[in-house]
């Protein structure tokens, strides 16, 4: 008789020997027929009784439609019944080969065959006088010695009457050993008692038990949880009384595990690597592994990985940082180390051997290797005993040939990890390892980019007395984390100071590098002492040049920046401001009133479409000037206008310091992970006292030079700076002489006592003086050379009224202004 495997392979059921021969229990073969039909209505099995009753040989019937043997007017097409109807009984009219018709009693049941194939088994019988063993006949006729279906027949008392060979092979318990036993007396498992209760209800009600998934332990697979799909149908006599019940079972453990594996891998593909964060990726791996594979999982990584660096080789015990924990129990009570803690693994422990070889290891806790490991780590050993872990699997976290750490999986059940579990765990860890390595590489690049960006921003604001300042720079919370925002505080001549905030459009290293070039350009242009509107005009030219240097036309078209540039003069208490496509600064008066300055809005830098204009405002001493990038206000969920209103409310609050005010602004306006960079610069204005500034109008008379020198000497004497008088006399003499000789009235001499001694001579001429080296025979031309040699620094600045030549002389610390 062909085996179940061969029947499955051919797609046919061989049941030639399924019906008892004459003299066996169950009656004469001419009275009984067994036919199997698939769900397409195709005959797959034909017993000798069917040949006797209907006249067709099995070679004529198998493979043909069942409908040809039935009266189409009266016989139901049972193979088309819906999936929830698995049983049928009644009478049918069959057509014999010789053209005659037979009225037969029939009953059928739908089975789940091998490979989840479904078939109907149809039992046909000639009506006739009762046989002495009529009540037992259905119980015996359904037991097919060679059937591929695993069958067990129970009596009304739910004790086993008989099981076929397929059921014996499935359970590992011989048919003789099972006789007289209920299901719960033969098998164990979480679903066995429930299954027995279902069978009992089916006997009482006469209703079949539909396909049910069972988890059970059977002798054929000791210590393993097997999964079966089972169904059952009551057996009736010809009067409809329930004689017993026939149960079928199919082992679907492998199919179930395959489905679980596919589902787990699909889950891993969507859950692991959702971000480029190392710690979060490790936790995603642990979350998928528990309870999918194990009762506990932890992921430990090399410290260098968490820092974005290349992993270092190891030769002895290894310290790994805990990146993730996961338990089937809430709160992870098994955790020896919390996320972020460092744990040590001895040199000969399974985790270190796993890292050294790059191969996974599986151990029961009673294995020598596990015992040796835990003997060196009594704390871990005590934890494993308390939580009843029975087996451990360690999988290396390995990507691109480099070991990054380990994943430790633990089980409490007596069923140890298998090779299938190992392959599944390795697949999950391999996917996570690639994500972890990508995160490490991203972290390294991001760290490098942030380092570059921070190196381009000021670390300390330069000393000056015009304003008190505080600033904050916050990188974006996006994946790049690097942008083009910048700020600066630049001391200028005449005790003035420039305040700058800018923003290069875009993110990434290119934006940060462009930001650095623009910040350098602003500092260079500020050194020339250009007015704000002229400085932005030159900066616009710089951005345009940088755009033309772009590698591609698209890169060139996308280069743009915004900027606001303000110059505050503590002597005149005025602030001159110009902006290029940038949000307007906020001014907070000493009484707490907040206003956004109405400034001409120039186009963004790089567009070159129109000139820039500046505006001058008076600022009372103690006023606050807040400059910021658009990332601060655009992050508000209701838009820029609401962002500006909220910023105004926060700036109006009184805080002990500018630093606390900056913190309040960021806390109230920004989410935890802002989508854009944010630069914020707040300055509180100061004013130079009138007694620290001295001004002398100069007539266009060469004879007045002597008077100017004398006036400067007296002023220094009043300030207690007699030691500086000699140098200042020479400087005043040269600068005033040049202004009278080459400049135009009005001419003014001004001395300022700040952190240095500043001497300025202004006139209404726009001609710029140039320092040159005079020949020995020249009678003049040495003035500016002398000034440059006697002072710390000097320069020229232009204004709409003319020019100013200035120089600075350092002062002792105790003589400088505070």
């Amino acid at each position: 008789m062909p085996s179940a495997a061969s029947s499955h392979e051919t797609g046919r059921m061989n049941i030639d020997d399924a019906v008892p021969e004459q003299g066996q229990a169950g009656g004469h073969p001419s009275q009984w027929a067994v036919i199997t039909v698939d769900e397409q209505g195709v005959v797959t099995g034909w017993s000798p009784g069917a040949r006797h009753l209907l006249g067709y040989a099995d070679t004529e019937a198998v493979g043909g439609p069942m409908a040809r043997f039935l009266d189409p007017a009266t016989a139901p097409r049972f193979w088309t019944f819906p999936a929830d109807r698995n049983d049928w009984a009644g009478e049918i009219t069959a057509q014999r080969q010789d053209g005659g018709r037979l009225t037969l009693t029939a009953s059928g049941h739908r089975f789940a065959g091998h490979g989840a194939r479904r078939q109907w088994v149809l039992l046909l019988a000639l009506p006739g006088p009762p046989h002495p063993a009529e009540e037992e006949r259905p119980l015996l006729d359904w037991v097919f010695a060679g059937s591929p279906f695993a069958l067990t027949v129970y009596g009304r008392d739910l004790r086993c009457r008989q099981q076929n060979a397929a059921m014996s092979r499935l359970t590992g318990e011989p048919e003789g050993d099972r006789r007289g036993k209920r299901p719960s007396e033969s098998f164990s498992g979480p679903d066995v008692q429930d299954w027995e209760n279902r069978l009992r209800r089916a006997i009482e009600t006469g209703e079949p038990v539909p396909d049910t998934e069972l988890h059970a332990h059977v002798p054929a697979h000791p210590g393993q949880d097997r999964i079966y799909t089972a169904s059952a149908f009551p057996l009736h006599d010809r009067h409809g009384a329930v004689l017993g019940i026939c149960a079928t079972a199919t082992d679907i453990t492998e199919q179930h595990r395959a489905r679980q594996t596919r589902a787990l891998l699909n889950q891993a593909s969507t859950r692991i690597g959702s971000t480029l964060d190392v710690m979060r990726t490790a936790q995603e791996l642990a979350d998928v592994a528990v309870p999918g594979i194990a009762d506990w999982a932890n992921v430990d990584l090399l410290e260098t990985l968490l820092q974005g660096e290349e992993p270092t080789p190891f030769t002895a015990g290894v310290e790994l940082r805990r990146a993730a924990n996961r338990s089937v129990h809430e709160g992870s009570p098994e955790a020896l180390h919390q996320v972020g803690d460092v744990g040590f693994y001895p040199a000969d422990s399974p985790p270190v051997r796993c890292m050294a070889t790059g191969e996974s290891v599986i151990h029961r806790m009673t294995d020598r290797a596990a015992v040796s490991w835990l003997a060196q780590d009594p704390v871990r050993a005590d934890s494993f005993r308390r939580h009843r872990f029975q087996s451990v699997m360690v999988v290396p976290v390995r990507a691109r040939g480099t070991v990054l750490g380990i994943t430790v999986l633990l089980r409490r059940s007596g069923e140890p990890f298998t090779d299938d579990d190992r392959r599944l765990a390795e697949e999950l860890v391999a996917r996570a390892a690639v994500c972890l390595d990508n995160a490490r590489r991203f972290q390294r690049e991001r760290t490098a980019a942030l380092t570059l960006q921070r190196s381009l921003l000021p670390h300390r604001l330069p000393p000056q007395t015009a304003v008190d300042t505080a600033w904050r720079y916050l990188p974006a919370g996006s994946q790049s984390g690097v942008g083009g925002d910048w700020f600066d505080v630049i001391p200028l001549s005449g005790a003035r100071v420039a305040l700058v905030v800018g923003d290069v459009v875009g993110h990434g290293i290119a934006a940060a590098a462009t930001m650095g070039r623009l910040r350098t350009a602003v500092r260079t242009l500020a050194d020339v002492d250009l007015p704000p509107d002229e400085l932005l005009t030159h900066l616009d030219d710089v951005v345009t040049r940088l755009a033309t240097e772009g590698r591609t036309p698209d890169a060139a078209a996308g280069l743009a920046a915004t900027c606001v540039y303000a110059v505050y003069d503590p002597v005149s208490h005025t602030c001159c401001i110009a902006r290029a496509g940038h949000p307007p600064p906020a001014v907070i008066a000493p009484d707490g009133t907040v206003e956004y300055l109405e400034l001409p809005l120039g186009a963004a830098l790089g567009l070159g479409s129109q000139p820039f204009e500046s505006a001058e405002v008076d600022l009372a001493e103690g006023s606050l000037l807040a400059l910021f990038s658009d990332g601060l206000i655009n992050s508000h969920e209701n838009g820029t206008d609401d962002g500006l209103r909220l910023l105004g409310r926060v700036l109006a609050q009184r805080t002990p310091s500018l630093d606390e005010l900056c913190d309040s602004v960021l806390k109230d306006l920004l989410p935890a992970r802002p989508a854009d960079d944010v630069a914020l610069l707040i300055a509180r204005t100061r004013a130079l006292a009138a007694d620290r500034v001295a001004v002398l109008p100069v007539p266009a008379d060469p004879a007045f030079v002597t008077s100017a020198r004398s006036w400067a000497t007296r002023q220094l004497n009043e300030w207690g700076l007699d030691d500086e008088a000699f140098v200042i006399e020479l400087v005043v003499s040269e600068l005033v002489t040049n202004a009278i000789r080459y400049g135009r009235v009005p001419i003014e001499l001004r001395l300022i006592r700040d952190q240095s001694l500043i001497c300025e001579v202004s006139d209404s001429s726009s001609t710029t003086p140039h320092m040159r080296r005079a020949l020995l025979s020249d009678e003049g031309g040495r003035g500016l050379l002398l000034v440059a040699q006697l002072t710390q620094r000097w320069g020229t600045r232009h204004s709409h009224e003319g020019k100013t030549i200035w120089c600075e002389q350092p002062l002792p610390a105790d003589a400088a202004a505070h």
Side-chain angles (χ1 to χ4, degrees):
M1 178 182 295
S3 66
S6 63
S7 298
H8 171 63
E9 291 169 1
T10 61
R12 299 177 53 180
M13 175 180 289
N14 190 328
I15 54 175
D16 287 348
D17 300 321
V19 177
E21 296 296 333
Q22 186 172 1
Q24 294 177 309
H28 194 278
S30 63
Q31 292 181 307
W32 293 91
V34 179
I35 302 171
T36 59
V37 183
D38 66 17
E39 290 194 307
Q40 283 70 47
V42 176
V43 176
T44 59
W46 193 264
S47 72
R51 183 173 64 247
H52 287 298
L53 283 176
L54 302 180
Y56 294 93
D58 61 342
T59 55
E60 298 176 284
V62 173
M66 181 65 191
R68 67 182 288 206
F69 308 113
L70 302 176
D71 179 13
T74 59
R77 302 171 69 84
F78 52 85
W79 56 88
T80 64
F81 286 172
D84 58 350
R85 183 177 177 185
N86 294 321
D87 296 275
W88 170 77
E91 290 189 346
I92 64 172
T93 300
Q95 297 187 154
R96 288 177 49 82
Q97 186 181 37
D98 58 12
R101 295 191 175 193
L102 287 177
T103 299
L104 303 171
T105 60
S107 63
H109 183 74
R110 180 158 36 194
F111 289 91
H114 290 282
R117 295 166 64 241
R118 311 273 297 178
Q119 297 199 48
W120 283 84
V121 177
L122 187 67
L123 179 64
L124 304 174
L126 285 169
H131 190 274
E134 184 70 24
E135 291 186 356
E136 295 295 327
R137 185 177 298 139
L139 301 179
L140 299 176
D141 288 340
W142 279 87
V143 180
F144 308 118
S147 172
F149 304 114
L151 307 175
T152 302
V153 177
Y154 298 95
R156 288 185 57 84
D157 57 0
L158 268 187
R159 295 191 178 275
C160 176
R161 295 291 188 89
Q162 193 170 357
Q163 73 178 19
N164 66 353
M167 182 65 79
S168 298
R169 291 192 300 271
L170 187 73
T171 63
E173 187 173 20
E175 190 263 347
D177 293 347
R178 282 209 62 199
R179 282 182 179 270
K181 292 182 180 180
R182 291 192 297 270
S184 58
E185 294 174 338
S186 293
F187 315 118
S188 62
D191 301 330
V192 172
Q193 188 60 53
D194 180 67
W195 173 245
E196 186 172 304
N197 294 337
R198 286 171 177 247
L199 294 179
R200 185 172 289 107
R201 284 194 298 271
I203 291 175
E204 293 171 354
T205 64
E207 296 294 328
V209 180
D211 287 347
T212 303
E213 187 173 288
L214 301 179
H215 292 248
H217 300 151
V218 297
H221 304 280
Q224 294 186 19
D225 184 14
R226 306 296 292 182
I227 302 170
Y228 303 90
T229 179
S231 61
F233 55 93
L235 299 175
H236 303 267
D237 62 15
R238 63 182 299 178
H239 304 292
V242 176
L243 302 176
I245 195 166
C246 180
T248 68
T250 303
D251 190 337
I252 60 169
T253 304
E254 301 307 321
Q255 297 95 313
H256 180 82
R257 288 178 177 172
R259 288 198 303 270
Q260 281 189 321
T261 297
R262 289 193 298 270
L264 200 62
L265 292 177
N266 289 337
Q267 183 183 20
S269 65
T270 58
R271 293 185 58 185
I272 298 177
S274 62
T275 68
L276 286 172
D277 181 86
V278 171
M279 302 295 279
R280 183 168 177 178
T281 301
Q283 188 61 55
E284 290 167 346
L285 168 61
D287 291 344
V288 171
V290 176
I293 302 177
D295 300 320
W296 166 266
N298 64 263
V299 182
D300 294 343
L301 302 175
L302 291 168
E303 185 71 24
T304 50
L305 172 69
L306 300 176
Q307 296 172 356
E309 301 173 0
E310 291 292 337
T312 55
F314 53 89
T315 56
V318 181
E319 284 189 344
L320 299 176
R321 189 170 295 277
R322 181 62 49 87
N325 281 335
R326 180 69 176 185
S327 169
V328 292
H329 298 300
E330 186 176 354
S332 299
E334 308 93 328
L336 285 177
H337 302 288
Q338 299 302 321
V339 172
D341 294 345
V342 174
F344 179 78
Y345 291 97
D348 58 346
S349 64
V352 174
R353 289 203 305 274
C354 167
M355 293 178 66
T357 62
E359 297 180 356
S360 305
V361 294
I362 297 175
H363 292 296
R364 289 180 177 268
M365 292 307 172
T366 54
D367 291 349
R368 178 179 300 178
V371 171
S372 174
W373 169 30
L374 297 179
Q376 303 176 63
D377 194 342
V379 175
R380 195 183 305 272
D382 179 66
S383 175
F384 282 10
R385 281 192 297 270
R386 281 189 294 109
H387 297 289
R388 301 189 303 276
F389 289 129
Q390 301 297 316
S391 57
V392 58
M393 176 164 55
V394 186
V395 182
V397 180
R398 196 165 181 263
R400 301 179 178 95
T402 302
V403 174
L404 309 176
I406 55 169
T407 299
V408 179
L409 304 169
L410 295 163
R411 270 186 184 171
R412 291 183 175 82
S413 65
E415 183 177 347
F417 289 107
T418 64
D419 285 341
D420 288 339
D421 295 325
R422 176 180 55 79
R423 285 188 287 270
L424 176 57
E426 288 176 345
E427 176 70 18
L428 293 179
V429 174
R431 295 187 180 198
V434 173
C435 297
L436 285 169
D437 193 51
N438 290 339
R440 174 186 68 84
R441 292 168 181 264
F442 167 77
Q443 182 65 31
R444 181 181 62 192
E445 298 301 325
R446 185 175 187 271
T447 300
L450 287 174
T451 302
L452 167 65
Q453 185 180 39
R454 291 191 178 108
S455 70
L456 298 174
L457 292 172
H459 294 189
R460 290 185 309 167
L461 297 181
Q464 41 76 39
T465 56
V467 291
D468 291 324
T469 57
W471 56 272
R472 292 292 183 273
Y473 172 77
L474 194 65
S478 60
Q479 288 188 350
S480 64
V482 181
D485 289 16
W486 89 92
F487 66 93
D488 214 340
V489 178
I490 308 171
L492 301 177
S493 63
R496 299 168 307 135
V497 65
L499 306 172
V500 192
V501 169
D503 181 5
V504 176
V505 175
H507 295 87
I509 293 182
T514 301
M515 174 271 288
R517 300 173 77 173
L518 294 186
R519 177 172 177 257
T520 301
V522 169
R523 279 192 158 264
T524 302
L525 295 171
D527 252 356
V528 184
D529 245 330
L530 294 176
D533 53 344
E534 293 186 27
L535 183 141
L536 291 182
T537 299
H538 286 283
L539 192 61
D540 181 60
D541 294 337
V542 172
V543 175
T544 302
R545 275 198 310 275
L546 292 178
T548 59
E549 296 173 4
R551 296 181 180 178
T552 64
D554 290 340
L559 181 58
T562 66
C563 184
V564 58
Y565 183 84
V567 176
Y568 173 67
D569 188 341
V571 177
S572 64
H573 309 168
T574 60
C575 186
C576 186
I577 310 175
R579 61 180 179 139
H582 205 83
V587 173
I588 304 91
D591 63 0
T593 304
V594 179
E595 68 169 324
Y596 292 99
L597 297 179
E598 295 290 340
L599 303 176
L601 177 59
L605 300 172
L607 301 182
S609 58
Q610 52 186 305
F612 300 98
E613 300 180 39
S614 61
E616 190 170 281
V617 295
D618 293 324
L619 297 179
E621 183 176 6
S623 299
L624 298 183
L625 184 64
L627 287 71
F628 49 88
S629 59
D630 61 0
L632 183 65
I633 53 175
N634 287 346
S635 61
H636 196 275
E637 60 182 10
N638 293 327
T640 301
D641 291 340
D642 282 347
L644 287 171
R645 281 192 288 271
L646 178 58
L647 175 60
R649 289 198 296 269
V650 178
L651 291 175
Q653 300 172 0
R654 294 189 178 275
T655 56
S657 67
L658 294 181
D659 282 317
E660 293 188 34
L661 181 58
C662 287
D663 292 336
S664 296
V665 169
L666 297 188
K667 177 183 176 182
D668 292 350
L669 270 78
L670 295 180
R673 294 175 63 84
D676 196 5
D677 287 20
V678 173
L680 172 66
L681 177 62
I682 300 179
R684 177 180 285 117
T685 62
R686 291 179 176 179
L688 278 182
D691 61 356
R692 293 189 178 273
V693 181
V695 180
L696 175 67
V698 177
D701 182 1
F704 191 77
V705 174
T706 302
S707 300
R709 283 201 308 267
S710 300
W711 175 85
T713 302
R714 288 194 303 272
Q715 186 60 52
L716 294 183
N717 182 261
E718 290 180 14
W719 287 342
L721 301 176
D722 296 327
D723 293 342
E724 314 301 325
F726 175 73
V727 172
I728 290 301
E729 283 185 9
L730 293 175
V731 169
V732 167
S733 178
E734 293 297 333
L735 295 183
V736 170
T737 299
N738 283 345
I740 293 173
R741 181 177 299 175
Y742 303 111
R744 292 201 300 263
V745 294
I747 302 172
E748 182 182 84
L749 169 63
R750 184 167 74 164
L751 297 179
I752 302 173
R753 179 185 177 185
D754 190 26
Q755 293 181 341
S756 60
L757 182 58
I758 303 170
C759 177
E760 298 181 342
V761 176
S762 303
D763 67 77
S764 59
S765 171
S766 60
T767 303
T768 301
H770 296 282
M771 183 173 61
R772 64 185 181 85
R773 294 191 176 276
L775 300 176
L776 293 176
S777 57
D778 290 343
E779 296 182 0
R782 297 178 178 85
L784 289 181
L785 180 60
L786 182 63
V787 170
Q789 291 177 338
L790 292 176
T791 59
Q792 185 179 42
R793 64 189 189 116
W794 75 279
T796 303
R797 69 172 180 270
H798 291 265
S799 66
H800 298 296
E801 293 79 24
K803 68 175 182 299
T804 298
I805 303 176
W806 56 270
C807 61
E808 293 183 5
Q809 183 68 9
L811 292 177
D814 57 350
H818 300 284

